[in-house]
Amino acid sequence: MGHDDDLIVQRREGLYCPQGDFYIDPWRPVARAVITHAHADHARVGHAHYLAAAPAEGVLRARLGEITLQTLAYGEVIDHHGVRLSLHPAGHVLGSAQVRVEHRGRVWVASGDYYVAGHDHDAREHNPSCAPFEPVRCDCFITESTFGLPIYRWVPQREVYADIDRWWSTNAEAGRASLLMGYSFGKAQRILAGVDARIGPIVAHGAVATINDAYRAAGVALPTTHSVLDLDKASLKRALVIAPPSVQASPWTRRFGEYSDAFASGWMQLRGARRRRSVDRGFVLSDHADWPGLQRAIAATGASRVIVTHGYESVMVGWLSAHGFEAGAFATEYGDEQEDRVEAGEAGRVDATAGDAA
Ligand SMILES: [Zn+2]
Ligand SMILES: [Zn+2]
């Protein structure tokens, strides 16, 4: 499907802009890397020069350490070898950006990972922990497709938060801690920004606390969180504990005594995923667009050509082709977010349990 003058092409190292001589989220070390966001599969160590959105700086440095980093405010344009480049909010995690490149009047946008609110006019449906997705007009849109299957349709976020609050309240009244597991970067802060902190104290696992600090430093309002060592036994029994999935069944959880556990992820839409995780509850809370969200985001770009990456490429390409788009796919080496590899594997088995909300 490639054309000679494409603005972004696929190379061994990653997605590449030949006119500007830079890569976007490369998976092998390169001279110039534009980074859409700080998740491990997109932001890797070893590049000579990094460019990212300004709000991403804290989390990028927390995860990658010493890097040569240049930042741009959202919407700020730089000219590089005659290519105009700017970054625009993707609504996925703090600092996540779509990359807009313009050359000789043509515009391409690479989405990175993105989340769009299910209900456009309801601000409560945005990811409360970062700037909301902003549609950018372009000729060609490179879209992610992590949840690019028709079975993925998120229920309104406010209902998910209400469910989490109810589960936490019920546990607190019964005198048991509520252990809620999710990615330490992105999901954890999104949960924190959305729950009702009046229900009880909130404990953040160390991996989560480090990222919380970067969010707070960037001006994101999060409720007060405590180290597990700061709370006495009575307080722990009423606490919401936010931790990465790696703590499940580990010695770290023993200090809570009796507790209820839950997992927050888009994959929880599949009943089988929750069962295989063997947790009490699964909350369907995703930082990626669902199937209708992907379609709405694609339509809003006005692009006639769409290149699908990072997910169910063939299903989405088929849908796009049937709806008049020039569609193709790039094979990328993005995984799912590092801590959730197990669920990524499970998503391949969507057969019998398809469409069943956990
Ligand atoms: Zn991501
Ligand atoms: Zn990703």
Side-chain angles (χ1 to χ4, degrees):
M1 68 168 293
H3 306 276
D4 285 346
D5 55 353
D6 284 353
L7 297 191
I8 297 170
V9 299
Q10 192 173 210
R11 275 199 178 181
R12 211 167 51 107
E13 295 87 350
L15 303 188
Y16 179 67
C17 174
Q19 296 82 356
D21 189 25
F22 57 82
Y23 287 85
I24 299 170
D25 294 350
W27 43 83
R28 296 191 190 186
V30 302
R32 302 190 79 87
V34 180
I35 301 298
T36 64
H37 66 292
H39 273 142
D41 52 333
H42 297 261
R44 304 191 189 219
V45 292
H47 309 308
H49 183 274
Y50 292 76
L51 179 75
E57 178 164 4
V59 278
L60 269 175
R61 291 197 187 281
R63 304 206 112 194
L64 299 183
E66 281 289 304
I67 55 170
T68 304
L69 172 66
Q70 178 186 357
T71 61
L72 292 180
Y74 285 130
E76 183 183 351
V77 179
I78 52 164
D79 197 293
H80 188 69
H81 299 320
V83 173
R84 285 166 59 81
L85 182 152
S86 54
L87 302 172
H88 303 267
H92 174 63
V93 292
L94 179 63
S96 63
Q98 307 173 74
V99 182
R100 180 188 188 274
V101 293
E102 178 180 348
H103 185 253
R104 295 189 181 153
R106 288 178 309 127
V107 177
W108 283 44
V109 170
S111 74
D113 293 349
Y114 65 93
Y115 168 81
V116 289
H119 302 265
D120 276 329
H121 304 296
D122 190 337
R124 291 174 299 179
E125 292 304 310
H126 293 305
N127 181 342
S129 62
C130 63
F133 177 90
E134 178 188 298
V136 181
R137 305 288 295 182
C138 56
D139 303 300
C140 179
F141 186 51
I142 302 176
T143 183
E144 69 126 320
S145 189
T146 304
F147 290 100
L149 288 179
I151 54 161
Y152 289 110
R153 289 164 199 273
W154 310 143
V155 299
Q157 305 289 288
R158 59 183 179 279
E159 290 178 21
V160 179
Y161 287 125
D163 281 350
I164 294 172
D165 286 344
R166 258 194 304 274
W167 166 75
W168 178 16
S169 299
T170 305
N171 291 332
E173 279 156 28
R176 57 176 178 257
S178 303
L179 172 62
L180 181 49
M181 293 172 281
Y183 311 141
S184 54
F185 166 37
K187 187 60 51 64
Q189 293 72 33
R190 182 178 195 156
I191 293 165
L192 286 168
V195 295
D196 181 355
R198 295 167 301 186
I199 295 170
I202 302 176
V203 169
H205 181 273
V208 172
T210 305
I211 305 295
N212 287 351
D213 291 344
Y215 270 67
R216 290 186 181 112
V220 179
L222 298 176
T224 304
T225 52
H226 306 273
S227 159
V228 69
L229 302 172
D230 294 344
L231 296 185
D232 56 30
K233 274 228 158 13
S235 302
L236 281 178
K237 287 178 189 302
R238 299 190 54 82
L240 174 67
V241 182
I242 309 286
S246 55
V247 305
Q248 193 175 17
S250 78
W252 191 80
T253 60
R254 279 188 210 136
R255 69 194 82 213
F256 303 119
E258 196 201 342
Y259 64 90
S260 175
D261 59 3
F263 202 84
S265 164
W267 305 117
M268 289 296 116
Q269 177 139 2
L270 305 181
R271 187 175 49 191
R274 182 171 64 83
R275 198 177 52 238
R276 280 189 288 276
R277 266 275 164 197
S278 56
V279 284
D280 299 329
R281 290 291 300 270
F283 297 109
V284 184
L285 191 68
S286 179
D287 303 327
H288 295 268
D290 61 1
W291 174 255
L294 288 165
Q295 293 173 355
R296 205 173 48 253
I298 291 166
T301 65
S304 55
R305 185 172 167 199
V306 179
I307 299 171
V308 183
T309 66
H310 203 321
Y312 300 96
E313 290 96 350
S314 59
V315 175
M316 185 53 87
V317 168
W319 184 90
L320 289 163
S321 302
H323 288 78
F325 292 90
E326 179 186 353
F330 278 160
T332 56
E333 293 185 18
Y334 309 133
D336 191 49
E337 274 66 67
Q338 198 175 35
E339 295 161 339
D340 209 18
R341 291 254 160 84
V342 180
E343 275 67 37
E346 286 166 348
R349 305 195 288 268
V350 284
D351 40 276
T353 55
D356 204 329

